């Protein structure tokens, strides 16, 4: 293969000789046409006319560079079987891949494959810390049986991507093509940086679109939950407190009627209404606790949850550490998330005990509810209304909710809520 490499390097020298010969022919032709031909036309053949000689020199000087470039292109294609030489490819690489075109990786792969004569070429981009295939040329190429060469593209020490070529079987890259490969990798840094920024921007736009859609769904769930809660509250007021108040009004009216005719019976009826009034007060207090407990506002999260778990059908171990007072929105999210988790455990987990933990800090409030119940398979059952409500409440306060559960191993609900301690707490 070394012989083949020297032969191809010799072809480059041969191209140079052909270009040099063509330039000599060009200069001679210009001299013959202008100086000798012009001399014949003006009748001066004995010696060259000084003006015609100056004109010929000017024509050669003005056209020399353009003729040289044209000869290099034509001779290179003839010697390389119609394919551009590696040096021509390197020369046109930068202009070909500059700009804001979306197909820059494809153009890079095409130029790389054409210039090296490889079976195929690939351009890889480093996006979000992961190498991703950006382009392959030819587009329908498959993995070959030849060798594979890769070169990292770096700029200021940062890895931006990788250029890769697949050699033909038993036809490795020549030294000239290897130098071309390295030259392309050296020039590709700025191009890959711009392409990577564009790819990251597209990725961020897709993420933002997903987040926006989730935010719309979350807002709709909040609206639906509010509507459902309003209907539940109306039903509870109608079926509970309102019925107690109606009965209380009727019985008090009856007691007034009986007061003159049957004082003893009226007295017993009034005493019964005192107990009924107490029940009514308790019913209204329970309703208000479900909306927003005054205890949470006045005394804080620990006191509100201690009162809430007092009526729990399951024993609850309550653990509190370094708890202070937090913004109202944070405390409300923590309270209702814990309440929902406790109710879910009591209704669905078949647990024997629950542990509720509140852990405070200067910038973070953590709430965990752990039961020893049957657990569930989230993929099989999906996210129920209770889990969705908890997640919406926590995320609306800027926090995160984690649910860890497996069948027969209980369920852990953990909420982390950012919020500074109130001054003085």
């Amino acid at each position: 293969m070394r012989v083949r490499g020297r032969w191809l390097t010799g072809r480059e020298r041969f191209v140079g000789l052909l270009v040099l010969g063509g330039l000599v022919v060009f200069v001679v032709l210009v001299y013959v046409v202008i100086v000798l031909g012009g001399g014949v036309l003006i009748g001066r053949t004995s010696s060259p006319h000084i003006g015609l000689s100056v004109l010929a020199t000017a024509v050669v000087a003005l056209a020399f560079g353009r003729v040289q470039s044209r000869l290099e292109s034509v001779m290179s294609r003839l010697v390389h079987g119609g394919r551009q030489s590696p040096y021509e490819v390197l020369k046109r690489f930068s202009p070909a891949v500059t700009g804001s075109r979306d197909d820059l990786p494809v153009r890079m792969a095409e130029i790389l494959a054409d210039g090296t004569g490889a079976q195929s070429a690939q351009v890889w981009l480093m996006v979000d810390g992961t190498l991703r295939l950006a382009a392959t040329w030819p587009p329908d190429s498959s993995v070959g049986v030849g060798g594979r060469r890769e070169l990292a593209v770096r700029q200021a020490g940062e890895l931006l991507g990788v250029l890769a070529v697949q050699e033909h079987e038993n036809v490795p890259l020549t030294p000239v093509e290897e130098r071309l490969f390295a030259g392309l990798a050296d020039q590709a840094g700025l191009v890959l940086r711009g392409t990577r920024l564009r790819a990251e921007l597209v990725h961020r736009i897709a993420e933002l679109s997903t987040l926006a859609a989730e935010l719309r769904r979350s807002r709709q769930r909040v609206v639906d939950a509010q509507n459902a809660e309003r209907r539940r509250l109306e039903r509870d007021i109608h079926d509970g407190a309102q019925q107690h108040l109606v009965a209380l009004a009727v019985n008090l009216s009856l007691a007034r009627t009986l007061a003159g005719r049957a004082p003893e019976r009226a007295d017993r009826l009034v005493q019964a209404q005192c107990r009924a009034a107490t029940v009514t007060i308790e019913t209204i207090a329970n309703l208000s606790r479900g909306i927003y407990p005054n205890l949470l506002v006045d005394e804080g999260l620990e006191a509100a949850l201690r009162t809430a778990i007092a009526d729990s059908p399951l024993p609850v171990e309550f653990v509190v550490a370094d708890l202070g007072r937090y913004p109202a929105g944070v405390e409300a999210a923590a309270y209702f998330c814990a309440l929902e988790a406790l109710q879910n455990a009591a209704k669905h987990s078949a647990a024997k005990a629950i542990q509720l933990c509140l852990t405070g800090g200067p910038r973070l409030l953590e709430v965990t509810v752990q039961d020893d119940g049957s657990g569930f398979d989230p993929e099989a059952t999906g996210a129920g209304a209770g889990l969705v409500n908890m997640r919406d409440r926590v995320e609306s306060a800027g926090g995160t909710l984690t649910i860890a559960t497996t069948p027969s191993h209980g369920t852990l609900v953990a909420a982390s809520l950012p919020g500074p301690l109130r001054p003085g707490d």
Side-chain angles (χ1 to χ4, degrees):
M1 289 302 156
R2 291 183 179 178
V3 175
R4 175 181 177 273
R6 287 198 298 269
W7 179 66
L8 283 179
T9 305
R11 288 203 302 180
E12 301 300 328
R13 296 197 188 100
F14 183 55
V15 170
L17 291 175
L18 289 177
V19 171
L20 179 61
L23 290 173
V24 171
V25 171
F26 164 69
V27 173
V28 171
L29 284 176
V30 170
Y31 183 83
V32 169
V33 171
I34 295 178
V35 177
L36 298 183
V40 171
L41 291 176
I42 64 175
R44 177 104 175 249
T45 58
S46 58
S47 63
H49 189 276
I50 186 66
L52 295 176
S53 298
V54 172
L55 178 60
T57 303
V59 170
V60 169
L62 292 174
F64 189 86
R66 188 174 300 176
V67 172
Q68 181 184 10
S69 177
R70 183 61 180 168
L71 285 172
E72 287 176 347
S73 177
V74 172
M75 297 305 177
S76 178
R77 289 180 181 274
L78 288 174
V79 172
H80 290 86
R83 182 168 62 91
Q84 287 186 330
S85 71
Y87 297 105
E88 286 185 287
V89 174
L90 188 60
K91 185 177 179 181
R92 72 184 180 93
F93 176 76
S94 293
V97 297
T98 53
S100 58
R101 296 169 49 172
D102 294 334
D103 62 343
L104 286 182
V106 177
R107 294 286 298 126
M108 291 178 65
E110 180 184 1
I111 292 173
L112 182 58
D114 290 345
T116 59
Q119 180 178 342
S120 63
Q122 293 179 337
V123 177
W124 294 76
L125 279 178
M126 178 67 74
V127 180
D128 294 332
T130 303
L131 279 174
R132 301 180 182 178
L133 181 61
T136 300
W137 191 267
D140 56 350
S141 60
S142 58
V143 179
V145 294
R148 179 180 173 88
R149 301 287 188 95
E150 295 181 353
L151 281 179
V153 178
R154 299 180 182 274
Q155 193 176 58
E158 180 185 5
L159 178 63
L160 301 177
V162 172
L163 300 184
V165 294
Q166 184 74 40
E167 299 170 323
H168 291 280
E169 185 178 7
N170 298 324
V171 186
L173 298 184
T174 67
V176 173
E177 291 165 344
E178 289 179 353
R179 289 196 294 273
L180 167 69
F181 189 15
L184 292 177
D186 289 339
Q187 293 191 33
L190 187 60
V191 178
L192 287 190
R193 181 178 291 277
T195 304
R196 186 184 69 174
L197 290 175
R198 191 157 41 249
E200 289 178 344
L201 179 60
V202 171
H203 183 61
R204 294 290 181 272
I205 291 174
E207 286 184 340
L208 289 175
S209 298
T210 302
L211 289 175
E214 178 58 31
L215 180 59
R216 287 193 296 270
R217 290 192 293 269
S218 177
R219 286 177 174 175
Q220 186 59 49
R221 288 195 299 266
V222 170
V223 171
D224 294 341
Q226 289 174 342
N227 291 335
E229 186 66 16
R230 186 178 66 252
R231 289 191 294 269
R232 182 194 67 80
L233 184 59
E234 291 172 351
R235 184 177 62 252
D236 289 347
I237 291 174
H238 179 272
D239 297 341
Q242 181 175 329
Q243 299 302 319
H244 286 299
L245 291 173
V246 169
L248 182 62
V250 171
N251 289 329
L252 287 176
S253 177
L254 178 61
R256 190 171 101 181
T257 303
L258 294 175
R261 294 181 297 176
E264 293 182 0
R265 183 179 174 189
D267 185 60
R268 290 195 301 272
L269 187 58
V270 169
Q271 291 179 4
Q273 298 323 297
C274 290
R275 292 191 295 272
T278 302
V279 172
T280 303
I281 292 172
E282 292 177 353
T283 301
I284 295 175
N286 290 332
L287 286 174
S288 65
R289 186 180 301 118
I291 300 170
Y292 199 98
N294 291 330
L295 202 58
L296 179 61
V297 178
D298 298 335
E299 300 185 30
L301 189 59
E302 180 180 357
L305 283 176
R306 283 196 185 279
T307 301
I309 64 177
D311 297 328
S312 174
L314 295 177
V316 179
E317 179 187 0
F318 193 22
V319 180
V320 181
D322 302 325
L323 190 66
R325 295 302 306 272
Y326 294 87
V330 172
E331 290 188 340
Y335 174 81
F336 286 108
C337 178
L339 214 58
E340 185 79 45
L342 290 169
Q343 291 172 358
N344 288 345
K347 291 179 183 178
H348 309 298
S349 70
K352 296 180 180 178
I354 305 173
Q355 184 185 64
L356 170 61
C357 297
L358 298 179
T359 304
R363 293 284 174 185
L364 190 68
L365 171 62
E366 296 181 337
V367 181
T368 60
V369 178
Q370 172 78 63
D371 67 60
D372 59 358
S374 58
F376 63 96
D377 183 357
E379 304 232 341
T381 60
L387 299 180
V388 172
N389 288 340
M390 283 191 290
R391 191 174 301 279
D392 286 344
R393 284 189 182 276
V394 171
E395 291 181 355
S396 68
T400 58
L401 182 73
T402 303
I403 299 174
T405 179
T406 53
S408 304
H409 289 83
T411 301
L412 170 67
V413 177
S416 296
L417 293 155
L421 282 169
R422 295 183 191 175
D425 291 326

